[in-house]
Each structure stands twice: as structure tokens, then as C-alpha cells.
Amino acid sequence: MRTIRHRAAAAAVTALVASLALTACGSGEASAAKDSGGPTASAGTPQAEQETPANNKQQTPAEQISSNDSNGSDDTATTTGGGKAKTGNSNGTTTGAGTSGTGTTKYTACTGDNTKVKISQVRRPINHLLLTVTNTGNKNCDAYYAPALRFDDAQAATQIIEDSKPQAVVTLAPGESAYAAIALGGPGAPDIPVKQLTVHFMGRDNQGSVGSPSGPLTLPAGTLIADNTSVTYWQRDMADALTW
């Protein structure tokens, strides 16, 4: 009986040793796989969940641009080339750099200081003279209304042909010209001899002449005027002035 017990105890010890050896071997393999950087998977986790999702792939440049546009992060534009820079945002508001002012527009009248006036005789229509005013300044000027004429030492103002009023004020850039026609006589023939003409310029408010006059200009020899001599408004085109 004692011999049987000893054998049973020995068999149990042998089985325990074998079990411990198997456990140590499994732990060693798992530890070795972990240390070597090899992939491990937890029980019950599908392999597909361990792979990189498709939406994490690197975007192409075209996809990146499309993404920026959809997020509204690229809504600023800048102009170059030596001009003023402008920026704009998504609500349509624009801002400019380099421009300052109070918003008040300044108007410069054409006067004898910034223009040159020439008078010439024309064949058609008869009994007419033509005034040509040329901007000799370095910025635009406005030829307002009609020229105010003074023949020799006459005191009375020359009549204005109101029907010749243009639709807009004539603005002259440097070097440009405007025209006004002088109708020397009306129904009757002119009979007052004159030698000189002084041209005054009207202001924007039409309350009198402004700046320096031009002249006195020497009239063509034998010029005669009448009591009803008249002048047109300043015109952009010579043909329009000579219509009256």
C-alpha cells in the first residue's frame, strides 16, 4: 500500500511539473512576440478594425484645395503689381489700402490760369466766330456753362443761346479742348466794329466768373457785332458748337 501511494504522489508531481513547463513556454512566446514588435490581436477583435481607416489616407493637392474652399478658409484675395492692395471676405465687403480722404469731391474750373483760348473766323455759318479753349494744366478742369464775353469796353453781358446747353458739363483732360460759337448778328446785320475780346469763365455755382480771364484776344480784322450777339455753351465737339 505504501508503495502504491508513493507512485501516485510521484505521478502527481510529474504532471504538475509538466503543466508548469507548458505555462512558462506560452508566456515566453507571447513576451517574445511583444518584444520583437510583432502584431498582436486581442481576442474577439476583427482584423478589419485593426487596419487604417480609408479616410485617413494622405490627400492629393486637388483634394486639399477642394477641402479649403468648402471650409471657407481661403476667402482673401490680394492684388499685386504696384497698385493698391485690396482684400475681400466671404460677405462681399472689400477694403483698400493707400487711399485716404473725407469723401468730398473737388472740382476744378477751367480758367485763364489753366487754359489757352483761341478765336478764329469760320466760313460756315456766316457771321460766326469760334472759340477754342484747351486745357494746359496737369489735371482735369470743367468748362462750366458758357463763356462770359466782353468786347472792347462793352458793359453789357453777351447773350447766351440757352438751347445749346449740353446734357453734361464738359470736362477737359490735360491737352483736350472745348468749343463755343459766337453768333455775331441775329435777324439784322452786325454793325458795331470791335477789335478785342476778353473771355471770362463761370464757376460751378454759376454765380459769376472765377479765376483769371483769358485775353484780351485780338479779333479778326473787320469784326462787327450787334446788340443781339450771342454765344453758345461750351461744347465737346466743334460741330455741335457751330450748329447754332
Side-chain angles (χ1 to χ4, degrees), residues 6 17 28 38 98 231 240:
H6 284 302
V17 170
V231 64
D240 291 339

Side-chain angles (χ1 to χ4, degrees), residues 160-183:
I160 297 174
I161 304 174
E162 290 296 335
D163 289 343
S164 67
K165 185 176 181 179
Q167 294 182 350
V169 174
V170 177
T171 299
L172 301 180
E176 290 186 337
S177 299
Y179 308 91
I182 303 173

Side-chain angles (χ1 to χ4, degrees), residues 109-111 117 131-133 142-150 157-166 168-170 178-183 197-210 213-214 229-236 241 244:
C110 295
T111 68
V117 178
L131 287 176
T132 301
V133 57
D142 295 319
Y144 292 112
Y145 305 100
L149 306 182
R150 181 180 180 182
T158 303
Q159 299 178 36
I160 297 174
I161 304 174
E162 290 296 335
D163 289 343
S164 67
K165 185 176 181 179
V169 174
V170 177
Y179 308 91
I182 303 173
L197 174 67
T198 302
V199 179
H200 297 265
F201 297 86
M202 304 302 293
R204 185 167 181 262
D205 57 4
N206 198 24
Q207 296 300 309
S209 62
V210 295
S214 183
T229 292
S230 56
V231 64
T232 68
Y233 279 76
W234 290 115
Q235 308 290 327
R236 170 68 63 183
W244 309 96

